[in-house]
Amino acid sequence: IIKSFMKQGINIKQLNMFGFSAGAQFVQRYSLLYPKKVAKSAIYASGGNDPLTKKLPVKFFYGIGLEDQQNRKTFAKQFKAQAKKTKTSLIYLEYQNTGHNLTDQVIDDVIEFFNQ
């Protein structure tokens, strides 16, 4: 997608990315592989994580519904701990009475994160 923009003369220096569930897995993985290309990365209810092993310049948002499946709640807590250990910027939010669904509140919080 980025290459097609470049062919049209649009130069994207850094991305703000958002993903939910499997999309969150992609966003997280892309952010770890290409941290210089991503300014902000918003992850919600990821289906899995790659380990965050070093401090990255990416600013992360990670959200999880407290009624979601245990594995996704575990992934969220692991990422939170890894961000703290590596001193990587992270806004971490847990959502009461929310399962594995994207709510208006989550969308509002992600938009606010991108606008900061």
Side-chain angles (χ1 to χ4, degrees), residues 2-57:
I2 294 170
K3 286 181 183 178
S4 70
F5 281 127
M6 291 173 73
K7 287 178 184 177
Q8 296 175 37
I10 301 169
N11 186 14
I12 299 171
K13 293 182 182 181
Q14 283 194 308
L15 300 167
N16 287 341
M17 301 180 74
F18 173 61
F20 167 62
S21 196
Q25 254 182 296
F26 170 81
V27 166
Q28 190 250 12
R29 188 169 289 152
Y30 189 92
S31 299
L32 295 180
L33 288 171
Y34 306 105
K36 291 180 181 176
K37 293 183 180 185
V38 179
K40 293 184 177 182
S41 180
I43 299 163
Y44 183 70
S46 183
N49 291 337
D50 288 352
L52 176 60
T53 58
K54 62 183 179 182
K55 182 176 182 177
L56 296 180

Side-chain angles (χ1 to χ4, degrees), residues 31-88:
S31 299
L32 295 180
L33 288 171
Y34 306 105
K36 291 180 181 176
K37 293 183 180 185
V38 179
K40 293 184 177 182
S41 180
I43 299 163
Y44 183 70
S46 183
N49 291 337
D50 288 352
L52 176 60
T53 58
K54 62 183 179 182
K55 182 176 182 177
L56 296 180
V58 180
K59 293 182 180 179
F60 286 95
F61 169 100
Y62 203 122
I64 187 70
L66 290 177
E67 304 300 320
D68 206 333
Q69 291 180 344
Q70 186 58 49
N71 64 326
R72 284 188 280 271
K73 292 190 290 186
T74 299
F75 297 142
K77 289 178 183 174
Q78 287 172 341
F79 191 85
K80 180 181 177 185
Q82 292 167 359
K84 183 177 181 178
K85 183 177 180 180
T86 62
K87 297 182 175 144
T88 297

Side-chain angles (χ1 to χ4, degrees), residues 92-105:
Y92 177 86
L93 295 176
E94 297 178 335
Y95 295 86
Q96 299 283 335
N97 304 314
T98 303
H100 193 65
N101 55 309
L102 190 58
T103 66
D104 290 341
Q105 183 62 58

